[in-house]
């Protein structure tokens, strides 16, 4: 089964975004997770959503789409969208995945999506895919194993080479899997790192509170003690909760 792709649309023309969204709607395994009309809005959406791909207009009202490349894109692929064929050369010079000429044709868009899936398959180990909240994972602790629904995981905390899963039913599992490994598999719009040793499920976060030293506490449903959140992670967490 094809994994679902997440996409961000960046264009200063609303009708252009509407048209591209319409074309992408023909691909049920592609989800548009956000839109932006300028570079600041696009940068904020990138940090909050971490999409698989951003469809980026080159000629924005007050800036060039190339300016977005100064942001930390992580594994997000870039597909430039332009009305000028001359821009295609520079698009490949900056290692964009692809470029689309306006008006975008359905056949050309489909080839771009095929290229994107191929690139993602190359980046990830064979058979590995992002989990969804509805998925179940087999968690094994010693001789005991349990099928756990992803949505029931409240938080995961690193303990040396292990990680401790705290579940909605009050149970905890100490498993031999790193926090980094969990973070790579879990849905990024729901599970977010709040500390170098802690990932939380935002579905279980009740509130945030600010401390006098400008640090933060994350109050997770069912946990007696709130979790510490480093300032470096606070911006993204607050954006996602908003």
């Amino acid at each position: 089964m094809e994994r679902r792709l997440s996409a961000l649309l960046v264009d200063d023309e609303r009708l252009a975004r509407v048209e591209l969204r319409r074309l992408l709607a023909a691909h049920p395994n592609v989800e548009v997770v956000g839109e932006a009309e300028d570079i600041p809005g696009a940068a904020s959406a990138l940090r909050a959503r971490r999409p698989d791909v951003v469809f980026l207009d080159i000629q924005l009202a007050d800036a060039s789409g190339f300016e977005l490349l100064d942001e930390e894109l992580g594994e997000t692929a870039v597909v430039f969208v332009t009305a000028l064929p001359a821009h295609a050369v520079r698009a490949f010079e900056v290692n964009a995945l692809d470029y689309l000429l306006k008006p975008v044709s359905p056949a050309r868009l489909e080839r771009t999506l095929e290229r994107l899936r191929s690139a993602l398959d190359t980046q990830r180990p064979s058979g590995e895919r992002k989990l969804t909240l509805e998925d179940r994972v087999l968690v094994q602790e010693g001789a005991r194993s349990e099928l756990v629904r992803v949505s029931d995981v409240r938080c995961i905390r690193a303990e040396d080479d292990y990680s401790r899963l705290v579940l909605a039913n009050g149970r905890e599992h100490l498993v031999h899997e790193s926090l980094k490994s969990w973070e790579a598999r879990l849905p990024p719009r729901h599970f977010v790192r709040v500390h170098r040793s802690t990932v939380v499920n935002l579905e279980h976060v009740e509130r945030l509170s600010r401390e006098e030293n400008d640090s933060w506490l994350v109050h997770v449903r069912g946990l007696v003690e709130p979790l510490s959140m480093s300032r470096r992670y606070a911006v993204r967490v607050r954006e996602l909760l908003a």
Side-chain angles (χ1 to χ4, degrees):
M1 182 177 68
E2 284 187 343
R3 81 177 195 77
R4 196 168 179 81
L5 302 175
S6 56
L8 172 68
L9 313 184
V10 181
D11 198 309
D12 60 344
E13 296 180 4
R14 186 184 68 84
L15 291 180
R17 299 197 305 273
V18 169
E19 175 61 9
L20 186 51
R21 182 183 278 271
R22 183 188 69 80
L23 292 172
L24 288 170
H27 300 270
N29 287 319
V30 178
E31 178 187 9
V32 177
V33 296
E35 295 184 11
E37 61 181 10
D38 54 27
I39 296 298
S44 177
L46 273 172
R47 290 192 296 269
R49 301 296 188 181
R50 297 296 179 187
D52 293 310
V53 60
V54 53
F55 289 91
L56 178 60
D57 185 23
I58 291 180
Q59 290 184 305
L60 300 173
D62 299 317
S64 164
F66 288 105
E67 293 180 23
L68 189 63
L69 301 185
D70 293 333
E71 296 291 325
E72 177 56 55
L73 296 178
E75 293 185 358
T76 298
V78 176
V79 174
F80 283 110
V81 185
T82 177
L84 300 176
H87 284 148
V89 174
R90 189 180 174 193
F92 284 114
E93 287 177 347
V94 296
N95 295 321
L97 175 83
D98 206 347
Y99 76 96
L100 296 170
L101 287 176
K102 296 181 179 179
V104 177
S105 75
R108 184 66 179 83
L109 177 60
E110 184 169 0
R111 291 199 298 274
T112 295
L113 293 175
E114 289 173 355
R115 177 177 289 185
L116 174 61
R117 288 191 178 91
S118 177
L120 291 175
D121 288 343
T122 300
Q123 291 174 3
R124 295 188 173 91
S126 177
E128 184 177 334
R129 66 175 180 85
K130 288 285 188 183
L131 296 167
T132 70
L133 288 179
E134 291 72 32
D135 284 334
R136 293 179 183 268
V137 292
L138 183 65
V139 174
Q140 188 160 356
E141 183 178 4
R144 181 166 64 107
S145 60
E146 180 181 347
L147 270 176
V148 173
R149 189 184 296 274
V150 172
S151 60
D152 289 336
V153 178
R154 283 178 170 160
C155 68
I156 306 175
R157 309 185 74 168
E159 295 188 16
D160 296 324
D161 294 331
Y162 292 76
S163 54
R164 182 175 298 278
L165 276 67
V166 180
L167 308 181
N169 61 10
R171 294 182 183 175
E172 297 186 8
H173 291 284
L174 185 64
V175 297
H176 194 235
E177 184 170 350
S178 69
L179 190 66
K180 184 176 181 180
S181 174
W182 280 112
E183 192 176 22
R185 298 168 60 203
L186 293 167
R189 294 193 300 279
H190 299 281
F191 286 83
V192 60
R193 192 180 286 259
V194 297
H195 190 272
R196 62 183 178 83
S197 62
T198 311
V199 167
V200 300
N201 182 351
L202 295 180
E203 298 295 316
H204 293 276
V205 172
E206 294 182 323
R207 62 188 176 91
L208 306 177
S209 60
R210 197 166 189 169
E211 299 293 277
E212 292 182 357
N213 61 357
D214 205 31
S215 62
W216 293 80
L217 293 177
V218 182
H219 298 263
V220 178
R221 189 180 304 110
L223 297 190
V224 176
E225 297 292 334
L227 303 173
S228 297
M229 178 165 65
S230 305
R231 281 179 291 177
R232 61 179 293 194
Y233 300 111
V235 173
R236 185 180 178 222
V237 172
R238 292 169 66 195
E239 285 179 343
L240 286 170
L241 287 174

